[in-house]
Amino acid sequence: ELYHGYGEQYCSYQCANTARTQDLQPEEVIVEHDEAIHWSEVGDEATLYVEAARIMAARVLTSRKTNHDRMAFAFRLATSRFPNDEELHVLANRLTQLADHYAGNPNDARELVSTGDHRSSEQLDESELAAWTTICLTLFNLDEALNK
């Protein structure tokens, strides 16, 4: 997961300071953290950011059937390009970790997917939506997405 600007103590999407370098490999950029997400402690700007990621995640989940296609679609939405195989591999590994985390911690998932004013579809599984929301946050924080 990647972080940009909201304080490490509050967000599980974090970015190494070296992520500003264009020639890093994906595994050098995506840093894993096991800390719980406490969205109630972040400011309004972060809430809007999380809500946008959740809405994007819902779009990704409902418009593509396989996780591979979903990752490629989400990556393209964020960066305007298709991911390479290595980027897909890193995202797939992280998605597996996130899915396991949120399946085992439904309260964390519920807290994340209820962030903001826009209500999530009740047809989407909260744990899956939370995992994809975090993937979308990761993509939003890629250097090329920030500078697109």
Side-chain angles (χ1 to χ4, degrees):
E1 299 171 10
L2 301 179
Y3 165 81
H4 184 265
Y6 298 114
E8 287 185 31
Q9 68 274 27
Y10 300 122
C11 302
S12 72
Y13 53 102
Q14 299 186 358
C15 175
N17 289 333
T18 57
R20 297 287 155 251
T21 306
Q22 291 292 344
D23 56 352
L24 289 179
Q25 298 301 312
E27 68 274 6
E28 295 175 291
V29 176
I30 296 178
V31 180
E32 299 170 11
H33 292 274
D34 294 326
E35 299 173 17
I37 299 170
H38 300 288
W39 299 112
S40 60
E41 298 178 31
V42 298
D44 289 338
E45 185 177 328
T47 298
L48 291 173
Y49 191 70
V50 172
E51 186 174 23
R54 181 172 44 81
I55 292 167
M56 179 177 160
R59 178 179 176 196
V60 167
L61 284 168
T62 57
S63 65
R64 299 295 188 271
K65 297 209 184 289
T66 68
N67 282 341
H68 180 274
D69 290 345
R70 289 169 176 167
M71 281 183 280
F73 181 55
F75 195 96
R76 178 141 182 174
L77 286 173
T79 66
S80 297
R81 72 171 177 86
F82 290 105
N84 63 38
D85 290 341
E86 188 175 6
E87 291 163 330
L88 284 171
H89 177 74
V90 171
L91 287 171
N93 286 341
R94 188 62 182 140
L95 179 62
T96 300
Q97 294 169 343
L98 291 165
D100 290 346
H101 170 77
Y102 288 118
N105 298 281
N107 289 337
D108 288 352
R110 189 169 302 112
E111 181 181 359
L112 180 59
V113 301
S114 64
T115 301
D117 295 329
H118 186 272
R119 293 292 137 227
S120 300
S121 170
E122 292 182 14
Q123 296 175 351
L124 296 173
D125 176 73
E126 284 184 338
S127 296
E128 185 177 35
L129 182 57
W132 277 97
T133 297
T134 307
I135 290 294
C136 290
L137 285 167
T138 300
L139 295 172
F140 283 171
N141 282 290
L142 291 174
D143 198 38
E144 64 189 289
L146 293 170
N147 295 309
K148 170 174 117 166

